[in-house]
Amino acid sequence: MSTVTPELQLDVERFLYEEAALLDRREYRQWLNLFAPDLQYRMPARTDYHELVSGAEPPASFVAAYFDETLESLGQRIKRLETGKAWAEMPPSRTRHSVSNVYLRPAAVEGEWDVECCFMLYRSRAERHVDIFVGGRVDRLRPASDGTRWKIARRVIVLDQSTLLANNLSIFF
């Protein structure tokens, strides 16, 4: 069984901080390079009724999702943003991604890690439009095949709010 060393913890935390900085600088192509070819990028919708009745989230197969993306579909979203004609991002959002409470567990596949963290995403658009998203993420990290650090193979984003007041979800988490 794999052990979480202080060096591993620090490396993963730094990787997540660098990822957040890429998003805040709108360096989307570089951000996309952090993902594995078989990526699953998902944000299930919250279902408070189910949580109240059973005390747990329903299985993913029964939940609608705000995002259910692949590497290809994320690439298409980025390409659209790069045209300058994505109306939902006119003007472009200013974002600040914060990541904390990073917890690592060995995944079922040797060498891969499930990484839980909390996040807060602040978005400001135009003169008065502000959104704050708070929640948790679970990422599956695997060593990059080229020997450089990590690739994100799976990301599940769970927002704490069950009703979204944002006008759109044209940003990345």
Side-chain angles (χ1 to χ4, degrees):
M1 182 159 171
S2 301
T3 304
V4 178
T5 64
E7 294 81 14
L8 176 63
Q9 179 77 31
L10 182 62
D11 186 49
V12 168
E13 288 178 8
R14 185 168 183 99
F15 175 79
L16 296 177
Y17 300 151
E18 290 169 1
E19 179 206 4
L22 288 174
L23 288 171
D24 292 341
R25 292 190 306 258
R26 297 187 199 111
E27 295 177 12
Y28 300 128
R29 288 284 165 195
Q30 293 87 338
W31 174 73
L32 195 63
N33 288 331
L34 301 178
F35 293 99
D38 59 340
L39 171 69
Q40 297 173 341
Y41 182 92
R42 183 170 167 78
M43 179 191 284
R46 294 300 298 244
T47 54
D48 281 345
Y49 174 75
H50 185 82
E51 289 178 58
L52 289 172
V53 172
S54 70
E57 289 286 333
S61 59
F62 294 106
V63 177
Y66 295 112
F67 298 130
D68 196 356
E69 306 268 7
T70 63
L71 185 64
E72 182 181 357
S73 63
L74 283 178
Q76 290 169 348
R77 286 179 58 192
I78 290 168
K79 186 176 180 180
R80 189 168 156 267
L81 287 173
E82 291 171 341
T83 67
K85 297 179 181 176
W87 66 266
E89 281 297 309
M90 296 305 291
S93 295
R94 293 174 300 279
T95 63
R96 188 68 56 205
H97 291 74
S98 296
V99 177
S100 69
N101 301 18
V102 178
Y103 178 76
L104 284 71
R105 296 191 299 279
V109 177
E110 182 66 30
E112 294 186 1
W113 294 90
D114 287 331
V115 180
E116 294 181 36
C117 69
C118 299
F119 71 87
M120 185 166 71
L121 169 52
Y122 172 88
R123 171 173 65 173
S124 174
R125 291 186 65 238
E127 292 180 20
R128 294 188 175 101
H129 188 96
V130 172
D131 294 307
I132 298 174
F133 303 93
V134 178
R137 285 190 333 217
V138 179
D139 292 344
R140 169 73 50 90
L141 295 186
R142 69 170 59 123
S145 60
D146 60 7
T148 60
R149 293 186 86 185
W150 304 103
K151 292 289 185 185
I152 302 167
R154 183 182 69 217
R155 172 162 290 167
V156 178
I157 306 147
V158 180
L159 293 172
D160 287 342
Q161 54 266 62
S162 54
T163 302
L164 293 183
L165 302 177
N167 292 338
N168 63 53
L169 287 173
S170 59
I171 52 178
F172 301 106
F173 288 79

